[in-house]
Amino acid sequence: SKMGAELDSLADFVNFGVAPPLVIYFWALQDMPSAGWISVLIFAVCCVLRLARFNVVHKSDIEDDDGGYYTGVPSPAGAGLVMMPMFASFAIADAPLVPAGIVCFYMIGIGFLLISRIPTWSFRAMTVSRENVKFLIVGFVFIGAAVLTYAWITLVALSLLYVGLVIWALIAGKAPSKRKKT
């Protein structure tokens, strides 16, 4: 329903735009509260703008993705990317803590990726033939087992894989076009 769609966007904003930067703030940015809060707020505003653009585009005659690509990093991926410094610090036991200033700039950078025009691959455009479904299921089981067994290393690897997909889209020149739906 229309009400459900709006509540879904609100839940996405809280889950992907508010909770991850707050976790990062309480993990690494408490020593610089002003800059930390500014970076949290910038990320949250970028996330809400990303979700608003997504909603407006899908309610209008303009398509957001062209050939399986979104415009900008989706908010769930942005939430995962913004958490990557924490994942990496947990994955590498004796690693020094990332300086808070770098974490602030990193969070703002990921926020700008959310509202950017960078083409990012859309998983919903993926089709799997009946013959290959078994491989997809085994792959998901493998990833699930890896997350349960080696959580932090797997989350870092998945984040880096996603960054690689974004870089690949940039290199391949996949610029989404704005066109009318038919």
Side-chain angles (χ1 to χ4, degrees), residues 72-143:
V73 172
S75 55
L81 291 176
V82 86
M83 299 285 288
M84 195 165 61
M86 188 176 80
F87 297 159
S89 75
F90 293 160
I92 305 167
D94 295 329
L97 197 61
V98 179
I102 292 174
V103 173
C104 285
F105 283 113
Y106 176 78
M107 187 181 308
I108 291 169
I110 298 298
F112 287 151
L113 284 177
L114 293 173
I115 59 172
S116 71
R117 295 305 220 177
I118 294 174
T120 55
W121 186 62
S122 170
F123 290 97
R124 69 182 179 153
M126 184 174 76
T127 58
V128 180
S129 66
R130 288 183 152 210
E131 297 81 30
N132 293 327
V133 168
K134 58 185 168 251
F135 299 115
L136 181 69
I137 292 171
V138 169
F140 277 122
V141 168
F142 176 77
I143 290 171

Side-chain angles (χ1 to χ4, degrees), residues 39-99:
S39 60
V40 166
L41 288 173
I42 289 173
F43 182 85
V45 168
C46 289
C47 185
V48 81
L49 289 172
R50 169 66 177 111
L51 290 166
R53 178 174 65 190
F54 180 82
N55 288 340
V56 167
V57 165
H58 285 307
K59 290 178 184 174
S60 68
D61 291 338
I62 301 172
E63 288 188 8
D64 186 32
D65 60 330
D66 185 16
Y69 287 84
Y70 286 122
T71 302
V73 172
S75 55
L81 291 176
V82 86
M83 299 285 288
M84 195 165 61
M86 188 176 80
F87 297 159
S89 75
F90 293 160
I92 305 167
D94 295 329
L97 197 61
V98 179

